[in-house]
Amino acid sequence: IGKPLRVTARKVQPTMVTLAWKAPNGDAEVAGYNIYYDGVKIASTKQRKFTIEGLSPGTAYKYSIRAVGVGDELSPPSKEISVTTSSLDATDPAVASAQTNPGPVNSGSSTPGITKGGGQTSIGKPERV
């Protein structure tokens, strides 16, 4: 099974990013995709895009994608992409409000917090590549 192609970051915001990619050649063999943060599996999806939330503003993250075949075989990892979330802009009224009422805070975990994707989403035990 081939690796996912052209991984890109879309909708990069202070606390979230959406990753998108092209299916490998032989798309019919692909049952889904695993998303990796710094070499650790963080989620799975059946779609060719995935939104990661709960990130820290102005921070660099490294992601890669692996295709999962119908027989659960894994492709080689895609080319790793480095994404830096945008910084907070204190002049933006929405940001100023969020700074005075920040809501829940991630308690120091280095793994991004909440993840979601179209189709199936699972977050389990981290898995090294």
Side-chain angles (χ1 to χ4, degrees):
I1 187 167
K3 65 183 176 181
L5 307 169
R6 298 187 198 164
V7 179
T8 59
R10 300 179 178 175
K11 299 181 185 176
V12 178
Q13 297 179 12
T15 60
M16 65 177 274
V17 65
T18 297
L19 302 177
W21 55 91
K22 300 283 184 189
N25 295 333
D27 185 41
E29 301 172 5
V30 176
Y33 300 91
N34 291 341
I35 293 84
Y36 294 82
Y37 160 69
D38 209 16
V40 178
K41 180 181 170 187
I42 59 168
S44 298
T45 183
K46 293 184 184 225
Q47 305 295 315
R48 288 192 306 264
K49 65 179 180 178
F50 193 82
T51 297
I52 304 163
E53 298 176 334
L55 304 176
S56 297
T59 303
Y61 296 91
K62 292 181 181 179
Y63 296 104
S64 61
I65 313 295
R66 293 179 84 174
V68 180
V70 292
D72 287 334
E73 68 275 14
L74 289 175
S75 75
S78 67
K79 183 177 179 181
E80 190 172 69
I81 182 173
S82 181
V83 179
T84 300
T85 52
S86 51
S87 297
L88 292 176
D89 179 0
T91 61
D92 181 345
V95 171
S97 172
Q99 288 175 337
T100 57
N101 185 10
V105 176
N106 186 339
S107 61
S109 171
S110 62
T111 302
I114 304 164
T115 57
K116 67 179 182 177
Q120 173 183 343
T121 301
S122 65
I123 301 172
K125 200 174 192 180
E127 171 184 304
R128 282 271 171 211
V129 182

